[in-house]
Amino acid sequence: MNINGLTVIAVALAAPWSVTACGKQPVGDFEPGAVADEPAAVAAPATLARTPSPAGARVFFITPADGATLTNPVRIEFGIDGMDIVKAGSNQPDSGHHHLLLDTGLPDVSLPIPADDRHRHFGDGSSSTELTLEPGEHTLRLLLGDYRHIPHDPPVASDSITIRVE
């Protein structure tokens, strides 16, 4: 194209970009020239490959017990059978790391587990925590994530438990 006597060549970027940082949702293809905060600029993310989980693998709560009435800080211990706990980023077979789901259901298992107040990540490989929770009833559930924070196939998730905090 010619602007004021200068030849200008417009180049469109063909490579898609994505953000897959710890717990962040991947972002779809970027449309060159679009403004990033406009809804049309971000397409729906593609489905990501999931890591297989071995038959019989399970996660569960060691403490607290379902129906427990507790005071702050609430001590929570996670258990696992049939798989190993490793740090996020460690791509070892039959392994993953814990995510605590607080007062929410299972997220979309085809995407990385969100990182927010309702989806607590334990990418350091830990199997326990202490939380200060608002007084009242809370539901807790565990979900194992692979090295990329994506649930396994099939997902390795605990049953939900309900606790009351006084």
Side-chain angles (χ1 to χ4, degrees):
M1 129 175 56
N2 192 337
I3 300 175
N4 293 333
L6 298 173
T7 301
V8 178
I9 300 172
V11 178
L13 297 175
W17 62 279
S18 67
V19 176
T20 56
C22 179
K24 300 297 182 189
Q25 296 293 339
V27 177
D29 292 344
F30 181 77
E31 296 175 15
V35 177
D37 61 356
E38 291 179 4
V42 178
T47 300
L48 302 171
R50 292 175 52 208
T51 303
S53 60
R58 69 184 191 106
V59 291
F60 53 93
F61 290 97
I62 297 170
T63 60
D66 187 25
T69 298
L70 308 162
T71 58
N72 283 312
V74 175
R75 174 106 179 125
I76 305 171
E77 294 181 68
F78 319 135
I80 188 166
D81 284 331
M83 294 182 76
D84 294 320
I85 294 297
V86 296
K87 292 182 178 184
S90 180
N91 186 9
Q92 296 177 27
D94 300 337
S95 71
H97 62 280
H98 291 291
H99 296 82
L100 175 63
L101 309 182
L102 179 61
D103 298 325
T104 189
L106 285 176
D108 183 340
V109 297
S110 68
L111 298 173
I113 300 164
D116 56 34
D117 286 342
R118 297 194 184 276
H119 304 86
R120 309 284 177 103
H121 287 241
F122 295 89
D124 61 355
S126 61
S127 292
S128 66
T129 190
E130 285 190 353
L131 298 177
T132 300
L133 300 173
E134 293 292 322
E137 191 171 280
H138 297 280
T139 59
L140 308 175
R141 189 169 193 181
L142 293 173
L143 177 59
L144 203 67
D146 71 5
Y147 66 104
R148 302 164 297 163
H149 302 274
I150 298 173
H152 294 76
D153 187 15
V156 180
S158 72
D159 291 333
S160 293
I161 65 169
T162 302
I163 62 169
R164 174 166 288 286
V165 177
E166 294 184 331

